[in-house]
């Protein structure tokens, strides 16, 4: 039994019979006619087809007859019942006898994409060879162009949904996910978030390949030294995964280390992959992963999490923290808040005291800059919001230096250069300014007294990003909280300073003491 004739429109137009592609007429209008008839799936009036494709002063009906003759040679073989039927006033292409690739995906919905098996999504993704009727533009035929463009845009959205879901599901298999991320980037080369996604997957794929190579070497004769290298490489690996907040925003989180879990609430300017090898954050990650399974995530609007988030409110941030904790099945775990995520962590601990074993808050505050009532501070931060919106990500050394020196004034040239680059990598100018404004509106001062879990508050004595007094006020408002004064001017403690060693020692001692209760 013969297989049905295939008409492919998800890419360049192609007609395939028995696995052999048929040579199509050179005329673009004839090929456009074939595509239109295949998708219309109903009788078309000759005068309408003439108006759509041959609206010219010459003989359009003769041009239509010529094209139909060419198409009969393409569609029909000797002995076949004709699927192309014509009469004096109309034309009909019977698609019941054809296999049209678009008909497999035209009814796909967002719910379908989320619920179907990964293998089905991969089958759908394989149908797309490019844009709808790629290369078949007819700018002098506006009716046809409007039809073609409408379908192309709708199918692009469908394809993007399928590819995004495949990347999300296959994150643990970076080599497979990389293929779909590359296809996603080819659809929109200027999408910065997709570019970051691609870079992250590429790095994960290379790390996976290195671990496999190290394992093979360690199993070879005389491979004892290689075995120790492979173990070290395994210890310095992370897995990046995704979950969704209740409003559908996708949140990226990373898991590293081994042992009891510790969750670090998201802070501003984070990027799970970019900070993994950074000279500013690597020592934080390694220290917290040494005896624990560290779980950290990117704030909505940042890093590998969704940038297209309408809601960047405090309430949404608390929901994101809940979603990450739920996705990992966490209960009775230590929660670490850093900077503005201290307020988010306080809100979570008050809402879920049974799930938090102990609370660690570093460099934080109960009231955001707009709520503190300091006119000079408000004016400074409002100016900063404008600077972020106008200068974020641009090649503006003055802006970058001002921002960097606020967070890490004691940094080396390498550390400052990395932090400057982070500004361009982590968020769009609009998201960065919206987040900065949102942080100013935070206020958990009214619920500090409701915190019922053991709490440790630490703050750098000369922190220029968050005033030292805010850290003391945060500790004073929480019943039984212990406050530790760290001798540093850096909002992000650097690896070489004694204040970071003090931070690690205090946190480990606090967690150990809480564990022994």
């Amino acid at each position: 039994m013969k297989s049905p004739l295939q008409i492919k429109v998800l890419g360049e137009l192609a007609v395939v019979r028995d696995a052999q592609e048929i040579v199509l007429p050179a005329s673009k209008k004839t090929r456009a006619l074939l595509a239109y008839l295949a998708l219309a799936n109903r009788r078309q009036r000759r005068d309408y087809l003439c108006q759509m494709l041959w609206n010219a002063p010459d003989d359009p009906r003769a041009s239509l007859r010529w094209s139909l003759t060419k198409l009969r040679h393409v569609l029909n073989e000797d002995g076949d019942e004709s699927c192309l039927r014509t009469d004096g006033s109309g034309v009909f292409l019977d698609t019941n006898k054809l296999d049209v690739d678009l008909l497999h995906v035209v009814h796909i919905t967002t719910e379908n994409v989320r619920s179907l098996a990964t293998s089905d999504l991969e089958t759908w993704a394989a149908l797309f060879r490019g844009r709808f009727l790629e290369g078949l533009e007819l700018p002098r035929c506006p009716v046809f162009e409007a039809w073609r463009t409408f379908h192309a845009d709708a199918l692009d959205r469908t394809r993007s949904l399928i590819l995004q879901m495949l990347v999300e599901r296959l994150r643990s298999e970076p080599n497979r996910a990389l293929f779909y991320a590359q296809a996603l980037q080819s659809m929109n080369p200027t999408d910065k978030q997709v570019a970051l996604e691609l870079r992250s997957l590429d790095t994960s794929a290379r790390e996976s390949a290195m671990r496999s190579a190290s394992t093979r070497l360690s199993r070879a004769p005389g491979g004892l030294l290689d075995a120790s290298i492979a173990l070290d490489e395994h210890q310095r690996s992370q897995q990046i995964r995704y979950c969704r907040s209740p409003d559908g925003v996708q949140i990226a989180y990373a898991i590293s280390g081994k042992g009891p879990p510790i969750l670090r609430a998201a802070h501003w300017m984070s990027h799970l992959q970019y900070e993994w090898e950074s000279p500013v954050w690597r020592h934080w990650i390694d220290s917290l992963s040494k005896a624990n399974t560290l779980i950290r995530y990117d704030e909505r609007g940042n890093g590998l999490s969704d940038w297209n988030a309408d809601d960047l409110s405090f309430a949404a941030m608390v929901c994101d923290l809940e979603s990450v904790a739920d996705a990992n099945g966490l209960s009775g775990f230590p929660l670490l808040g850093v900077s503005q995520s201290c307020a988010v962590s306080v809100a979570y601990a008050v809402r879920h005291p049974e799930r938090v074993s102990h609370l660690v808050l570093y460099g934080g505050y109960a009231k955001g800059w707009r709520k503190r009532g300091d006119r000079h501070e408000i004016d400074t931060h409002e100016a900063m919001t404008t600077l972020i919106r106008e200068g974020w990500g641009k090649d503006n050394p003055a802006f970058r230096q001002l921002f960097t020196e606020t967070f890490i004034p004691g940094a080396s040239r390498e550390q400052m250069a990395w932090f400057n680059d982070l500004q361009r990598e982590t968020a769009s100018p609009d998201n960065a300014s919206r987040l900065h404004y949102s942080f100013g509106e935070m206020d958990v001062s009214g619920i500090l007294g409701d915190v019922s879990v053991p709490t440790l508050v630490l703050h750098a004595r000369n922190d220029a990003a968050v005033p030292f007094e805010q850290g003391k006020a945060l500790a004073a408002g929480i019943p039984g909280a212990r406050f530790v004064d760290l001798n540093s001017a850096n909002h992000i403690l650097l690896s070489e300073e004694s204040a970071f060693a003090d931070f690690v020692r205090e946190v480990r001692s606090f967690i150990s003491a809480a564990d022994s209760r």
Side-chain angles (χ1 to χ4, degrees), residues 43 110 112 135 147 203 206 208 215 236 272 285 288 292 300 322 356 367 386 417 434 459:
R43 186 176 182 276
T110 302
N112 293 148
W147 172 83
T203 301
R206 284 189 279 107
S208 178
T215 301
R236 245 237 114 225
L272 298 176
I285 297 170
L288 293 169
N292 294 88
R300 57 174 57 209
E322 289 176 323
V356 179
K367 292 184 176 182
T386 302
R434 288 171 62 205
H459 211 102

Side-chain angles (χ1 to χ4, degrees), residues 256 275-276 281-289 294 296:
S256 58
E275 67 186 26
W276 178 247
W281 283 114
R282 175 172 176 152
H283 54 289
W284 282 73
I285 297 170
D286 286 354
S287 295
L288 293 169
S289 301
L294 172 64
R296 64 192 212 284

Side-chain angles (χ1 to χ4, degrees), residues 4 71 76 110 150 157 220 284 356 359 367 370 408 420 490 499:
L71 292 182
N76 301 331
T110 302
F150 172 81
R157 290 191 292 271
W284 282 73
V356 179
L359 187 61
K367 292 184 176 182
R370 188 177 293 280
I408 44 174
N420 288 343
N490 296 308

Side-chain angles (χ1 to χ4, degrees), residues 195-502:
L196 294 174
E197 188 92 57
L198 191 62
R199 182 187 304 177
S200 171
L201 285 169
D202 184 59
T203 301
S204 297
R206 284 189 279 107
E207 288 178 349
S208 178
M210 289 174 61
R211 288 195 298 271
S212 297
S214 297
T215 301
R216 288 195 300 272
L217 286 171
S218 68
R219 290 173 179 171
L224 182 60
L225 179 61
D226 294 314
S228 65
I229 295 173
L231 179 61
D232 182 64
E233 182 63 30
H234 176 70
Q235 290 174 335
R236 245 237 114 225
S237 66
Q238 67 172 350
Q239 293 181 341
I240 297 177
R241 300 174 182 173
Y242 288 85
C243 64
R244 289 188 184 275
S245 247
D247 62 354
V249 171
Q250 185 172 264
I251 303 299
Y253 64 92
I255 302 173
S256 58
K258 184 179 290 186
I262 181 169
L263 176 57
R264 188 197 74 181
H267 52 74
W268 193 28
M269 287 199 306
S270 70
H271 187 294
L272 298 176
Q273 191 62 53
Y274 197 65
E275 67 186 26
W276 178 247
E277 296 292 347
S278 81
V280 176
W281 283 114
R282 175 172 176 152
H283 54 289
W284 282 73
I285 297 170
D286 286 354
S287 295
L288 293 169
S289 301
K290 190 171 183 180
N292 294 88
T293 297
L294 172 64
I295 302 166
R296 64 192 212 284
Y297 63 97
D298 284 335
E299 188 71 83
R300 57 174 57 209
N302 274 262
L304 295 178
S305 291
D306 269 351
W307 285 22
N308 300 319
D310 294 330
D311 187 1
L312 296 182
S313 66
F314 177 75
M317 295 174 193
V318 177
C319 285
D320 292 344
L321 173 51
E322 289 176 323
S323 298
V324 173
D326 291 345
N328 289 275
L330 299 181
S331 181
F333 63 95
L335 175 60
L336 168 63
V338 176
S339 194
Q340 91 285 343
S341 74
C342 289
V344 176
S345 299
V346 165
Y348 181 90
V350 169
R351 190 179 296 183
H352 304 284
E354 76 288 353
R355 298 185 66 175
V356 179
S357 62
H358 30 284
L359 187 61
V360 179
L361 306 173
Y362 167 74
Y365 50 83
K367 292 184 176 182
W369 52 267
R370 188 177 293 280
K371 299 292 186 178
R372 295 170 197 158
D374 185 325
R375 188 68 252 175
H376 174 72
E377 186 179 16
I378 292 172
D379 290 344
T380 299
H381 276 281
E382 286 181 341
M384 183 67 78
T385 301
T386 302
L387 280 172
I388 291 169
R389 187 171 54 250
E390 299 300 324
W392 194 269
K394 296 181 180 178
D395 191 14
N396 186 336
F399 170 80
R400 295 203 312 271
Q401 197 64 19
L402 169 68
F403 207 80
T404 299
E405 287 188 356
T406 301
F407 280 80
I408 44 174
S412 65
R413 184 174 300 178
E414 178 196 6
Q415 290 165 328
M416 284 195 173
W418 181 89
F419 200 76
N420 288 343
D421 289 341
L422 176 65
Q423 297 172 37
R424 286 192 289 245
E425 297 288 345
T426 188
S428 67
D430 181 60
N431 280 357
S433 61
R434 288 171 62 205
L435 283 165
H436 184 255
Y437 187 89
S438 181
F439 300 154
E441 296 294 321
M442 290 182 172
D443 188 353
V444 294
S445 58
I447 61 171
L448 291 181
D450 297 329
V451 176
S452 59
V453 302
T455 304
L456 173 67
V457 181
L458 308 98
H459 211 102
R461 188 178 308 160
N462 298 305
D463 189 339
V466 178
F468 184 64
E469 291 72 21
Q470 295 302 316
K472 293 201 301 185
L474 182 63
I478 298 175
R482 179 166 173 259
F483 182 73
V484 175
D485 169 1
L486 298 171
N487 185 18
S488 176
N490 296 308
H491 185 59
I492 305 172
L493 299 172
L494 302 173
S495 60
E496 60 274 15
E497 59 182 328
S498 59
F500 180 70
D502 294 340

